[in-house]
Amino acid sequence: MRGLEQQRDSGKVRKPGRAWTVEKWLRHWVENIAAPSVRETTMVGYRSSVYKHLIPGIGAHRLDKLQPEHLETLYARLQKPREQGGKALKAATVHLAHRTANVAFNEAVRRRRMVENPARVAKAPRVEQEDIIPFTREEARGLIDKAAEIRNGARYVVALSVGLRRGEALGLKWSDYAVKWRHGCPKGSTCRSRDASKCDLREGRGTLTIRRAIQQRTWQHGCDPDGSCGHRLGAYCPHRRDGGVVESEVKSRAGRRVIGLPHPVIESLETHRSHQEIDRERAANLWADEGWIFTNRLGRPVHPTEDHRAWKALLRLADVRDARLHDARHTAATFLLELKVPLPAVMELMGWSNAAIAKRYMHTNEEFVTAIAAEIGGHLWAEEDDTDDDDGPATVRLAI
């Protein structure tokens, strides 16, 4: 009785009635609470953690009796080698399951299904941060040069120069692209009587407006009940639904932005536009005229898997070390650091809502470090003429 009174006084009394099991709560939370309110890509991680790891591991426990030790035992078992009865999962995968449990049980506490969240106390496995090495200027230039030789190569020029996320780049439409041309020829030239876009020395000022993103959704079973078709994965179900390449909103409010384009990027996009017209003529009436900048050969959005394969092929073509496509975004952010662009402007260009993200994306590579060292040397030690003796050698003095 005293224990119940203490819970009452502290505001930590769970709802009356029969307690739910962990499995019942997790199923309810992921399908009825999380699904309508989070992005599809987030749901992929949530469902994987819930159905593959959390429910098989702790689903039988009563929700109000779940302890941090139950979670820690599960995390250890998930990381054990298979020959020892574990799943041999990476620490990052187990950490995702921990974060999913934390979100789910926080909601259970808020709805008074639990008194306290055990995931807030449980120790999650430590995840070693992967070292990310952005491309050097030479590597980036090599990739850009070779990108001109492949289909949709301008997509990777955009990635390296302005650092768009994959979904943002694949979600671009020609209506999002604006350019104004200026004559680059001398004043008084006969070329000035023509449209500036026809000038051989034209100069372009352009922008891209980021409004949407392309996502790859996992196919769901359309048979009833799920799996009755005989296939384990929804992708092979004859009645599959709600999957494939879909258009979605950008990642955050900060992601909706307008970015300026360097002139070489504009020229790359214009060349890409002319190549796309050839694809349109070849496809004839099969062409899906939906206005996408980067398309497959029938005018539809590029599948993220094909985009990944093309990137890997570009790395081999340019003889550049293997790296993730997302490392191009790190590279673009690092170039902004080297150019000493103010952080608020960097956040606007990259679509960040939190300044702390900059630390993860902007790297001081060896090239930048040595350049800083040279500037320090030039600042501290300045060579000045000895004014007392015109014929004597120059002396080196501290500049401070």
Side-chain angles (χ1 to χ4, degrees):
M1 179 63 72
R2 283 195 296 270
L4 289 172
E5 288 175 343
Q6 289 173 358
Q7 290 180 6
R8 177 201 63 196
D9 295 339
S10 63
K12 294 182 177 179
V13 181
R14 73 170 184 85
K15 276 186 175 180
R18 187 179 181 86
W20 286 19
T21 63
V22 172
E23 178 178 358
K24 183 178 180 180
W25 169 253
L26 288 175
R27 287 183 183 276
H28 174 75
W29 168 78
V30 76
E31 300 300 344
N32 300 293
I33 300 174
S37 59
V38 303
R39 290 167 59 86
E40 183 65 27
T41 50
T42 304
M43 281 304 301
V44 171
Y46 279 172
R47 287 195 172 104
S48 177
S49 295
V50 166
Y51 293 119
K52 291 183 179 179
H53 310 311
L54 295 177
I55 287 179
I58 57 174
H61 289 281
R62 269 180 48 171
L63 188 61
D64 61 336
K65 298 294 184 181
L66 189 66
Q67 299 298 315
E69 291 76 16
H70 295 141
L71 290 168
E72 291 165 347
T73 301
L74 171 64
Y75 300 157
R77 186 166 65 248
L78 292 175
Q79 293 183 90
K80 277 185 179 179
R82 295 184 184 277
E83 55 269 20
Q84 298 180 18
K87 288 191 174 182
L89 298 180
K90 293 182 179 180
T93 304
V94 181
H95 203 278
L96 175 59
H98 169 74
R99 295 199 306 271
T100 302
N102 187 46
V103 176
F105 296 146
N106 267 340
E107 188 64 27
V109 171
R110 197 172 74 86
R111 299 184 182 217
R112 294 173 52 208
R113 295 287 178 184
M114 304 176 78
V115 174
E116 292 182 325
N117 179 1
R120 297 186 65 180
V121 180
K123 297 295 184 183
R126 181 178 178 181
V127 180
E128 296 292 339
Q129 293 294 329
E130 184 180 354
D131 290 334
I132 296 173
I133 304 175
F135 295 112
T136 64
R137 274 177 285 181
E138 288 72 19
E139 289 174 327
R141 285 296 301 272
L143 288 167
I144 288 172
D145 290 343
K146 290 298 182 180
E149 302 177 13
I150 67 172
R151 190 175 183 279
N152 282 330
R155 181 260 181 278
Y156 306 109
V157 177
V158 168
L160 289 162
S161 58
V162 295
L164 296 188
R165 300 176 179 93
R166 181 181 70 179
E168 294 172 346
L170 298 183
L172 289 171
K173 292 189 175 184
W174 288 113
S175 58
D176 304 322
Y177 168 65
V179 60
K180 292 183 178 179
W181 296 104
R182 297 188 306 172
H183 281 278
C185 54
K187 290 184 179 180
S189 171
T190 56
C191 177
R192 293 270 175 163
S193 60
R194 298 190 301 166
D195 186 352
S197 64
K198 307 297 183 183
C199 178
D200 294 335
L201 302 175
R202 65 184 183 180
E203 297 174 359
R205 291 185 178 181
T207 60
L208 281 175
T209 302
I210 313 303
R211 295 188 173 95
R212 71 192 70 79
I214 287 295
Q215 288 186 345
Q216 179 183 356
R217 290 185 180 174
T218 304
W219 288 102
Q220 304 298 315
H221 279 280
C223 52
D224 188 20
D226 286 358
S228 60
C229 63
H231 296 284
R232 185 174 65 88
L233 299 177
Y236 300 104
C237 176
H239 308 289
R240 65 183 185 178
R241 58 179 176 82
D242 302 334
V245 176
V246 297
E247 181 181 338
S248 68
E249 295 182 352
V250 292
K251 189 173 183 179
S252 65
R253 181 178 298 179
R256 294 191 292 271
R257 62 199 189 276
V258 178
I259 57 175
L261 296 176
H263 176 72
V265 178
I266 295 173
E267 291 291 359
S268 180
L269 285 171
E270 291 297 322
T271 301
H272 170 72
R273 194 203 296 262
S274 63
H275 291 165
Q276 190 178 89
E277 288 300 319
I278 298 174
D279 285 343
R280 184 196 302 270
E281 292 176 3
R282 288 175 177 170
N285 60 343
L286 296 178
W287 183 265
D289 197 3
E290 298 172 354
W292 302 103
I293 291 182
F294 304 115
T295 69
N296 61 19
R297 296 188 183 276
L298 296 178
R300 296 184 177 87
V302 176
H303 195 286
T305 301
E306 292 303 318
D307 183 54
H308 171 77
R309 291 172 180 166
W311 167 254
K312 293 297 184 180
L314 175 61
L315 291 174
R316 294 190 294 270
L317 181 64
D319 195 21
V320 171
R321 59 185 169 84
D322 188 39
R324 307 174 307 164
L325 176 54
H326 196 65
D327 290 351
R329 182 165 166 82
H330 285 258
T331 300
T334 300
F335 289 160
L336 294 174
L337 172 64
E338 295 177 359
L339 292 170
K340 302 177 182 178
V341 178
L343 182 58
V346 173
M347 292 178 61
E348 177 70 23
L349 292 170
M350 301 299 293
W352 296 332
S353 56
N354 188 344
I357 301 176
K359 188 175 181 180
R360 288 166 33 201
Y361 279 86
M362 303 173 79
H363 308 271
T364 51
N365 54 29
E366 182 179 353
E367 186 179 7
F368 190 36
V369 168
T370 54
I372 292 174
E375 289 193 15
I376 292 174
H379 181 68
L380 288 176
W381 290 275
E383 293 187 1
E384 299 181 1
D385 291 336
D386 190 339
T387 56
D388 295 332
D389 186 0
D390 293 339
D391 297 328
T395 59
V396 178
R397 301 175 182 173
L398 280 176
I400 59 173

